[in-house]
Amino acid sequence: MANPTILVVEDEESFVEALKVGLKREGFRVEIARDGVQALEMYDIVKPDVILLDVMLPRMSGIDVCRQLRKKTLTPIIMVTAKGAEIDTVVGLEVGADDYVTKPYRLRELTARIRAVLRRVPSDRGGELSSGSLQVGDVGLDPDEHNVVIRGDVHKLPLKEFELLHILLANAGRVLPRDVLIDRVWGSDYVGDTKTLDVHIKRLRTKVEDDPAQPTRIVTIRGLGYKYEKPHSA
């Protein structure tokens, strides 16, 4: 993807100026929104390739912006949280963010996160994630249409949830170690912690499980990772 566009949603002027200079030097086109409402307006105009979204914003919080964007787009969203604000990180992931960084961050780390999510957008997806529908019990997945059918209802999942479910279904009955899942979905250069994986698993369970509090499909294998259980009839 040549010169991808980043919509930076940030109201702290010192960060805005540093990001404009640093990201442009890395080959990105940079558009700036300085509050949550402007971010939603600019998204429709700019159609960015990735969104860098601060949690603390005037007029509308980054959490609410992310929630609104996820109703209409799968564009990768990287949340920016204050140091130590774990609750913001978890909530951001739960409403559909693909990744997060914590202030203060290094430009090199941020750039690595941005390039990682851009490599995973649907139009760039290759290899085993690009072909072949899957059906495990009453859950089906079509990579070409980017659709998931759960008990007869069609769902459009955020990108990371879709890829994670794809890998779990493709390996139904097998235990997938946590590091394998992180490497396959977030990339081998992912520098975040494993909390991101756990939150995405939690979100998937709310959609595919009959009782998310007592999962029987996406099960935890303690000390190893996760497994998608095959139904007895499969």
Side-chain angles (χ1 to χ4, degrees), residues 7 9 36 39-44 48 51 53 60 62-77 95:
L7 176 59
V9 189
L40 295 177
E41 295 170 348
M42 287 192 64
Y43 173 81
D44 293 324
I51 301 164
L53 178 62
M60 179 185 289
I63 298 295
D64 289 333
V65 172
C66 184
R67 187 180 287 114
Q68 291 298 314
L69 287 172
R70 275 294 170 256
K71 293 179 180 179
K72 60 182 180 180
T73 180
L74 296 172
T75 300
I77 297 174
V95 298

Side-chain angles (χ1 to χ4, degrees), residues 61-99:
S61 74
I63 298 295
D64 289 333
V65 172
C66 184
R67 187 180 287 114
Q68 291 298 314
L69 287 172
R70 275 294 170 256
K71 293 179 180 179
K72 60 182 180 180
T73 180
L74 296 172
T75 300
I77 297 174
I78 300 176
M79 301 292 294
V80 180
T81 67
K83 185 176 182 180
E86 182 173 347
I87 185 64
D88 288 340
T89 299
V90 173
V91 173
L93 293 170
E94 286 181 342
V95 298
D98 296 279
D99 200 357

Side-chain angles (χ1 to χ4, degrees), residues 11-230:
D11 67 317
E12 292 188 43
E13 206 60 37
S14 60
F15 278 95
V16 169
E17 292 306 314
L19 285 169
K20 284 171 67 175
V21 173
L23 292 174
K24 285 181 178 179
R25 189 169 59 236
E26 293 292 329
F28 298 105
R29 294 178 57 224
V30 181
E31 299 287 344
I32 305 295
R34 287 177 167 80
D35 62 56
V37 174
Q38 187 182 25
L40 295 177
E41 295 170 348
M42 287 192 64
Y43 173 81
D44 293 324
I45 298 170
V46 174
K47 297 297 182 186
D49 299 295
V50 63
I51 301 164
L52 184 65
L53 178 62
D54 193 69
V55 170
M56 300 297 293
L57 293 168
R59 301 176 71 191
M60 179 185 289
S61 74
I63 298 295
D64 289 333
V65 172
C66 184
R67 187 180 287 114
Q68 291 298 314
L69 287 172
R70 275 294 170 256
K71 293 179 180 179
K72 60 182 180 180
T73 180
L74 296 172
T75 300
I77 297 174
I78 300 176
M79 301 292 294
V80 180
T81 67
K83 185 176 182 180
E86 182 173 347
I87 185 64
D88 288 340
T89 299
V90 173
V91 173
L93 293 170
E94 286 181 342
V95 298
D98 296 279
D99 200 357
Y100 70 93
V101 292
T102 302
K103 288 181 178 178
Y105 47 77
R106 295 180 178 178
L107 181 63
R108 179 178 297 180
E109 175 192 357
L110 177 62
T111 302
R113 299 286 187 94
I114 292 170
R115 295 194 191 284
V117 296
L118 284 173
R119 282 198 298 271
R120 309 297 293 184
V121 296
S123 60
D124 290 342
R125 189 183 292 118
E128 62 186 332
L129 290 181
S130 64
S131 63
S133 297
L134 294 169
Q135 185 76 39
V136 180
D138 56 9
V139 176
L141 181 147
D142 184 341
D144 295 325
E145 295 294 327
H146 210 269
N147 286 337
V148 175
V149 180
I150 302 172
R151 292 182 283 280
D153 295 325
V154 178
H155 296 258
K156 287 283 189 181
L157 301 187
L159 178 59
K160 297 300 183 187
E161 287 183 49
F162 184 88
E163 293 187 344
L164 184 56
L165 182 61
H166 188 290
I167 292 167
L168 289 167
L169 291 178
N171 294 275
R174 296 175 54 195
V175 178
L176 295 174
R178 298 171 65 85
D179 58 346
V180 170
L181 288 169
I182 291 172
D183 181 70
R184 294 276 296 281
V185 176
W186 283 270
S188 59
D189 56 357
Y190 179 67
V191 292
D193 59 38
T194 60
K195 177 168 51 186
T196 300
L197 172 61
D198 297 331
V199 172
H200 281 73
I201 289 288
K202 178 182 177 182
R203 281 160 44 187
L204 277 179
R205 282 172 170 162
T206 66
K207 293 162 184 172
V208 306
E209 298 283 358
D210 297 311
D211 181 2
Q214 300 183 35
T216 59
R217 300 175 187 234
I218 303 175
V219 298
T220 302
I221 308 300
R222 291 195 178 279
L224 291 175
Y226 295 98
K227 176 174 68 169
Y228 195 100
E229 292 281 14
K230 288 184 177 181

